[in-house]
Amino acid sequence: MPLYVMSALMLLAAHASGLICDRERCGKSWTIGACVFLASVLFLGRFELIFSPELILCASSALFVFAAVLSYAIKRNGAHQTLKTVLLGMALSIPFHLLDSVLERDASMLASGLIAVCANIVLRGKGRSILLVCALSELMFQAEKTLLLYLNTGYCCFELTSYSLDRMMIMALFTGFVHGILNWSSGAISAKNNYSSTA
């Protein structure tokens, strides 16, 4: 099973159960939108948009980037927060080069997910910002690979394929579950404190 399929299915279950985004906190429409997005990723993952031999996009990878930007833009964020998010996405792309060179494919993806969890801590669990970081870091990584290829060979080729989708979805899975667990634990502690005060 491709990693993006596994990630999408696990995220669907987490969203539907309310682990990541419960209806009281996020609203019913946001939960439905997230599930529709994940279902679209599963459906479009097999399709590639081949504009030329030098530009190949997986439909789901393009959807992920578009959805991340749109989701972030819906909620107004200050220039400082936006700059921090963009810079963090760029910074995360740098270790991907090392991971790809020293680790096997799946191990590299899992390590990328752990790096994204660290970014989640930096952004204090802000879901829309994290989604954008997941998209930008992979987008920047592929752009850097294209630049290095051009500098070394004079040939330019940009690909955002299912391999890229695997990394973005693994990062979304790891950060989503951390985000959900932290919200659940804080809610459980709050409920316990309320119960103790009324007892």
Side-chain angles (χ1 to χ4, degrees), residues 90-135:
M90 294 173 65
L92 255 65
S93 68
I94 297 173
F96 294 168
H97 296 278
L98 177 62
L99 294 177
D100 267 11
S101 63
V102 300
L103 297 177
E104 296 293 332
R105 181 181 184 278
D106 289 354
S108 174
M109 295 295 175
L110 295 176
S112 299
L114 293 176
I115 292 175
V117 169
C118 295
N120 187 41
I121 296 172
V122 172
L123 291 175
R124 299 177 182 178
K126 294 181 179 178
R128 290 179 175 86
S129 297
I130 283 295
L131 190 65
L132 184 59
V133 167
C134 293

Side-chain angles (χ1 to χ4, degrees), residues 1-16 20 34-45 60 64 165-166 168-174 177:
M1 177 186 293
L3 289 176
Y4 80 85
V5 173
M6 177 202 71
S7 301
L9 291 175
M10 293 180 70
L11 284 167
L12 267 173
H15 272 289
I20 293 180
C35 290
V36 169
F37 163 69
L38 291 167
S40 300
V41 167
L42 287 171
F43 176 73
L44 296 174
S60 288
F64 191 107
L165 181 62
D166 283 344
M168 289 189 286
M169 290 300 296
I170 281 290
M171 289 192 291
L173 175 67
F174 276 44
F177 268 70

